[in-house]
Amino acid sequence: MVRKLVMLGCGGFIGSHLLDLLLPTGDYEIEGWDPDYQKIEQHLNNPNFHLHACGIHEGSERAALGDAIERADAVVNLAAICNPAEYNTRPLDVIRANFLDIYPVVEMCADHGTWLMTFSTCEVYGRTLAGYLPEPLRGNPQYFELDEEITPFIMGPIRNQRWTYATAKALMERLVYAYHKEHGLPFTVVRPLNFFGPRMDYIPGRDGEGTPRVLACFMSALLNREPMQLVDGGTARRTIVSIYEAVDAIARMLRRPEQAKNQIFNIGNRNNETTIAELADRMRRTYARITGDASYDEHPIVSVSSEQFYGEGYEDCDRRMPSTVKAASLLGWTAKIPLDEVLEDTMTYFHNTYGQNIPAGALA
Ligand code: NAD
Ligand code: UGA
């Protein structure tokens, strides 16, 4: 039975929802690390939760972290920089946060034989083989479906610094696997595919600065009555999964260590595939319904180049269709919540949280 958990990066989007799910059960004692704890203030007084409000890379934390890992039944590692606008603009920080800072955690888990459940990304698959093939072959699932055990990783050249994140995560996965093979480290690698839900990222100019992931970018455009921007026409495809179903998958792993250990899992929803252009359209129509303001049905959507939007060195993942056979067979988990429901729930949260001062009238 997994009872004592260490959770690194517990104050972020996924961490906050995982704490919401695990703490009320009373089954877990959780020791967390994150310098940012705005999203988890509701848990700070819970006797089963202890937060170290600082980064795992801070030298002064090393002893406390080592002791906690020694005591723990499992370490859930969520700490990362995982915002695409930063991959080509802060590449050194991205490599540091996603690989170098995690290296000592992997070593400590191996030293103590503590199960390490570490969050990677579907971005390790990079681009699909289908994207390089002639049109008639692109529809063949063997060229676009992402399978944990057989799909190769296809990333762009070094000057396209978008891939710093994916390569740092991929090296972190290889490090974990090498420790497993050489030193018996029990591990689980989770590869999430575009989780959406309340508390994802921030709205620029309100509770954060910069360019967040697409959900918050589009929400920000709607809230500020500015055009939604489609990067390179919005032809890239994503599959979107509800955060509530996603954290349920993680809870199942914790409850079924024998099934989850030493496995790599895609966590995504195959039925919720959309192009980004379609996503923008669905989101503006959903927001028209939520606000009762029909002008949102025609909210402006414009196309921008990736160079304009992200700067030099961006390159996109064309498509992300996960195989989820392993999660279904080992965890009994399949995502079911349809995209419209995910958007309705998530956008209602954003509206209730940020929607007070929307400028009047539609944008010309
Ligand atoms: P997030 O940015 O909301 O949360 C990450 C948290 O890690 C932040 O609160 C940040 O303060 C913290 N952190 C960063 N560096 C730290 C350090 N050195 N020490 C302690 N805490 C640190 O991101 P998220 O969406 O919750 O993602 C969590 C994990 O899942 C990441 O590893 C990410 O790469 C992965 N992931 C998420 C998604 C998704 O759809 N949300 C998709 C793919 C992969
Ligand atoms: C994201 C992040 O890399 C990670 O958090 C995570 O590892 C990964 O998702 C994942 O889920 O596995 P990505 O989906 O590319 O990667 O990032 P988003 O910001 O969500 O962008 C999705 C798509 O929307 C991209 O094609 C992007 O170019 C586009 N986009 C983004 C727009 O067209 N307009 C915007 O305003 C923002």
Side-chain angles (χ1 to χ4, degrees):
M1 166 86 189
V2 172
R3 179 157 179 80
K4 289 186 193 309
L5 285 186
V6 166
M7 202 184 286
L8 311 175
C10 61
F13 166 55
I14 299 175
S16 71
H17 285 278
L18 200 50
L19 290 178
D20 286 354
L21 185 66
L22 299 182
L23 283 172
T25 65
D27 292 340
Y28 299 93
E29 287 169 25
I30 303 177
E31 198 163 344
W33 268 262
D34 202 315
D36 185 351
Y37 48 88
Q38 275 176 39
K39 294 178 182 175
I40 56 169
E41 280 177 349
Q42 67 279 23
H43 298 302
L44 296 181
N45 292 326
N46 188 315
N48 286 330
F49 178 56
H50 176 70
L51 175 71
H52 299 253
C54 48
I56 52 170
H57 58 286
E58 291 174 32
S60 56
E61 285 304 299
R62 203 46 61 82
L65 191 55
D67 289 348
I69 288 174
E70 185 173 8
R71 288 191 299 271
D73 300 310
V75 174
V76 179
N77 172 39
L78 298 150
I81 295 177
C82 53
N83 175 352
E86 316 206 61
Y87 304 163
N88 58 322
T89 54
R90 294 175 59 200
L92 292 176
D93 289 338
V94 168
I95 293 168
R96 199 172 291 122
N98 292 296
F99 179 67
L100 292 175
D101 290 347
I102 310 305
Y103 202 129
V105 173
V106 180
E107 285 181 316
M108 287 188 243
C109 287
D111 285 349
H112 298 300
T114 305
W115 178 20
L116 173 60
M117 181 186 293
T118 194
F119 274 64
S120 181
T121 171
C122 60
E123 281 202 26
V124 295
Y125 296 112
R127 299 183 56 81
T128 65
L129 200 51
Y132 295 93
L133 295 174
E135 192 59 58
L137 294 173
R138 289 189 188 173
N140 185 334
Q142 82 180 92
Y143 299 129
F144 68 78
E145 194 173 76
L146 308 175
D147 181 284
E148 296 98 331
E149 302 299 332
I150 59 174
T151 302
F153 296 175
I154 306 175
M155 284 163 213
I158 292 299
R159 287 179 212 283
N160 290 351
Q161 288 191 294
R162 168 3 177 311
W163 303 108
T164 49
Y165 170 73
T167 47
K169 287 283 200 187
L171 188 53
M172 188 263 295
E173 286 195 22
R174 292 197 186 275
L175 178 77
V176 166
Y177 190 67
Y179 265 104
H180 168 67
K181 293 298 276 184
E182 290 192 29
H183 298 282
L185 169 70
F187 78 96
T188 303
V189 167
V190 181
R191 294 184 185 153
L193 290 103
N194 292 81
F195 299 176
F196 268 30
R199 300 200 289 261
M200 185 169 194
D201 297 339
Y202 55 87
I203 297 297
R206 304 203 189 191
D207 54 359
E209 291 304 332
T211 304
R213 289 172 281 191
V214 69
L215 168 69
C217 282
F218 285 172
M219 270 317 310
S220 170
L222 292 166
L223 289 162
N224 294 328
R225 290 204 190 268
E226 292 163 1
M228 299 161 99
Q229 302 189 66
L230 295 182
V231 173
D232 293 336
T235 56
R237 292 166 186 241
R238 297 291 186 266
T239 50
I240 289 164
V241 61
S242 157
I243 185 66
Y244 301 112
E245 291 187 302
V247 291
D248 173 57
I250 308 309
R252 284 170 188 248
M253 292 175 201
L254 293 170
R255 285 200 304 269
R256 301 181 187 197
E258 295 323 313
Q259 277 80 15
K261 274 186 190 172
N262 308 327
Q263 296 292 348
I264 302 170
F265 289 102
N266 288 334
I267 297 299
N269 186 329
R270 293 172 58 83
N271 298 322
N272 283 352
E273 189 175 33
T274 173
T275 65
I276 299 303
E278 287 162 1
L279 176 69
D281 182 49
R282 273 183 200 244
M283 283 184 65
R284 68 178 175 177
R285 286 187 286 111
T286 305
Y287 206 51
R289 268 200 314 281
I290 290 170
T291 55
D293 179 345
S295 71
Y296 273 117
D297 282 323
E298 303 300 324
H299 191 84
I301 298 176
V302 298
S303 199
V304 293
S305 74
S306 51
E307 176 121 18
Q308 268 173 294
F309 193 84
Y310 289 112
E312 192 190 341
Y314 178 79
E315 184 180 352
D316 212 345
C317 303
D318 52 334
R319 189 171 187 188
R320 296 174 177 170
M321 174 57 71
S323 162
T324 51
V325 171
K326 214 199 266 193
S329 62
L330 293 178
L331 308 172
W333 181 88
T334 306
K336 297 190 180 70
I337 303 179
L339 180 55
D340 282 337
E341 209 177 302
V342 177
L343 293 180
E344 185 88 25
D345 173 71
T346 303
M347 295 178 71
T348 300
Y349 161 85
F350 275 93
H351 179 66
N352 292 340
T353 308
Y354 304 97
Q356 281 77 27
N357 300 312
I358 300 180
L363 243 188

